[in-house]
């Protein structure tokens, strides 16, 4: 049954490029689902508990089939993360800087970044190293999908902030966007956020690593990521937009994050991504996936 379901989901994803899987596609278009033009926030889709469960199962299966389907991973995160989002929101409220983020609702987009100014900053500053990460890994902050299925306006922003901070975490942790780097970041995020999506990614991500990378993960990067995720300050409570000129090392110390134990090289497999893009399984920002 699961095999047939996975095949159906994969065919649907390739043919139509929709954000939901076949198991919940009909549910999303039933009379019980309300797209709210004047609802909780722009783009919000109101769903019942049953529809959220179907979305979670369908998107989870699709994401397991292809962990680079960041649209499926996004739906999975939104439909399973309610309790974790409440905890993250409360941690932000109890932090002076985090509360300012919740109040002012900044967004990390190309339209809000001064890339020219970042490029002129000295090496080692957070802004310059973040821009270097974007350039070296061929990624863009604009690839993060907008939240749709979180039925609370403030929690929806917390989820959006988490997505947009993801690339900043890569910079803080010194991790590239290859599979080993993504898994290491997911281990950090699982310990830091408690989001089920991150925990699932942390558990299943290693299955896609070869023996040498598994050894590096389990003996070095993994323990480092978990330790720092548990003990560091809430990474969503930082007003990063006001920290671009700060030293990266100084910001790490403030957050209680250790420098990475090993340095991973940046290797972008462009031909593989091009094939994915041409087959319809990835969007134009194929080098910036939100992976399981």
């Amino acid at each position: 049954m699961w095999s047939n379901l996975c095949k159906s989901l994969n065919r649907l994803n390739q043919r139509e490029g929709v954000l939901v899987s076949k198991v919940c596609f009909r549910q999303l278009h039933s009379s019980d689902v309300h797209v709210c033009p004047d609802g909780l926030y722009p783009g919000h889709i109101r769903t019942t508990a049953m529809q959220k469960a179907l979305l979670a199962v369908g998107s989870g299966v699709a994401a397991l089939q292809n962990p680079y389907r960041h649209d499926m991973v996004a739906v999975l995160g939104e439909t399973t993360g309610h309790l974790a989002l409440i905890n993250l929101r409360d941690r932000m409220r109890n932090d002076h800087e985090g509360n300012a983020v919740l109040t002012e609702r900044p967004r990390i987009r190309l339209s809000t970044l001064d890339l020219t100014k970042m490029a002129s900053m000295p090496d080692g500053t957070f802004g310059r190293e973040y821009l270097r990460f974007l350039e070296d890994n061929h990624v863009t902050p604009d690839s993060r999908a907008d939240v749709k299925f979180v039925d609370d306006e403030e929690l929806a922003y917390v989820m959006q902030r988490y997505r947009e901070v993801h690339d900043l975490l890569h910079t803080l942790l010194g991790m590239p966007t290859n599979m080993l780097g993504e898994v290491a970041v997911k281990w950090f995020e699982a310990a830091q956020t408690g989001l089920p999506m991150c925990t699932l990614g942390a558990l299943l991500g290693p299955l896609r690593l070869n023996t040498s990378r598994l050894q590096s993960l389990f003996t070095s990067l993994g323990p480092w990521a978990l330790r720092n995720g548990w003990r560091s300050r809430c990474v969503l409570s930082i007003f990063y937009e006001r920290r671009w000129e700060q030293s990266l090392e100084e910001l790490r110390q403030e957050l209680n994050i250790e420098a990475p134990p090993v340095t991973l090289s940046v290797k972008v497999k462009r031909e593989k991504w091009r094939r994915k893009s041409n087959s319809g399984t990835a969007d134009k920002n194929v080098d910036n996936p939100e992976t399981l």
Side-chain angles (χ1 to χ4, degrees):
M1 182 182 78
W2 283 109
S3 177
N4 292 334
L5 177 59
C6 290
K7 290 178 181 178
S8 298
L9 290 170
N10 193 43
R11 285 196 299 269
L12 178 65
N13 292 336
Q14 292 182 352
R15 184 174 67 251
E16 301 184 31
V18 294
L19 295 178
V20 294
S21 59
K22 185 176 181 179
V23 70
C24 47
F25 183 79
R26 292 178 181 175
Q27 287 289 331
L28 286 175
H29 289 79
S30 71
S31 58
D32 294 330
V33 177
H34 305 285
V35 180
C36 305
D38 56 347
L40 297 179
Y41 51 87
H44 174 234
I45 300 176
R46 193 181 303 278
T47 50
T48 66
M50 177 61 71
Q51 288 162 344
K52 278 187 172 57
L54 290 171
L55 280 166
V57 172
S59 60
V61 171
L64 290 176
Q65 287 289 97
N66 182 358
Y68 292 101
R69 282 300 306 274
H70 55 87
D71 52 350
M72 293 290 102
V73 178
V75 174
L76 179 63
E78 293 176 31
T79 54
T80 61
H82 182 70
L83 295 179
L85 289 174
I86 291 175
N87 180 57
L88 288 170
R89 188 268 314 277
D90 291 345
R91 291 172 67 185
M92 294 176 73
R93 282 181 174 176
N94 292 327
D95 183 284
H96 177 73
E97 190 174 2
N99 193 55
V101 172
L102 281 177
T103 301
E104 298 187 32
R105 307 286 178 89
R107 296 291 303 272
I108 301 174
R109 315 287 290 178
L110 286 178
S111 60
T112 66
L113 299 176
D114 189 341
L115 300 183
T116 301
K117 182 177 180 180
M118 285 182 170
S120 67
M121 292 178 182
D123 291 343
T125 57
F126 181 55
R128 183 67 188 89
E129 297 309 315
Y130 172 58
L131 179 60
R132 195 188 315 279
F133 165 82
L134 296 179
E135 294 171 341
D136 289 350
N137 292 276
H138 307 280
V139 300
T140 168
D142 286 354
S143 66
R144 301 301 173 187
D146 290 333
V147 174
K148 293 180 174 63
F149 300 107
V150 177
D151 293 334
D152 180 282
E153 188 268 343
E154 189 172 44
L155 296 183
Y157 175 76
V158 174
M159 174 60 80
Q160 192 71 49
R161 186 66 172 177
Y162 156 73
R163 288 179 183 168
E164 295 179 5
V165 162
H166 178 79
D167 287 340
L168 301 181
L169 291 184
H170 273 276
T171 304
L172 285 168
L173 299 174
M175 292 292 107
T177 58
N178 59 24
M179 182 56 74
L180 180 56
E182 289 289 355
V183 172
V185 172
K186 272 293 174 282
W187 281 38
F188 177 93
E189 290 179 337
Q192 166 79 196
T193 69
L195 286 166
M197 172 196 69
C198 297
T199 302
L200 184 63
L203 292 173
L204 299 180
L207 299 178
R208 294 179 171 266
L209 299 176
N210 60 30
T211 302
S212 63
R213 291 184 174 182
L214 276 175
Q215 183 177 5
S216 178
L217 178 68
F218 289 132
T219 62
S220 180
L221 285 175
W224 162 80
L226 290 175
R227 181 173 63 252
N228 282 274
W230 281 323
R231 74 179 191 176
S232 65
R233 180 180 169 188
C234 179
V235 293
L236 300 188
S237 293
I238 305 302
F239 214 128
Y240 294 102
E241 293 82 351
R242 300 173 180 173
R243 304 297 194 104
W244 299 131
E245 297 183 18
Q246 185 175 358
S247 162
L248 174 59
E249 290 305 318
E250 181 182 311
L251 183 55
R252 281 175 175 168
Q253 292 177 10
E254 182 180 336
L255 292 174
N256 204 20
I257 294 177
E258 302 169 355
V262 297
T263 301
L264 302 184
S265 61
V266 178
K267 294 181 180 179
V268 179
K269 299 182 179 179
R270 287 188 169 278
E271 187 58 37
K272 178 180 178 180
W273 286 120
R274 190 176 295 112
R275 289 197 299 268
K276 285 179 176 291
S277 182
N278 291 339
S279 66
T281 59
D283 67 6
K284 64 181 179 180
N285 296 307
V286 291
D287 292 324
N288 188 28
E290 181 178 4
T291 62
L292 268 181

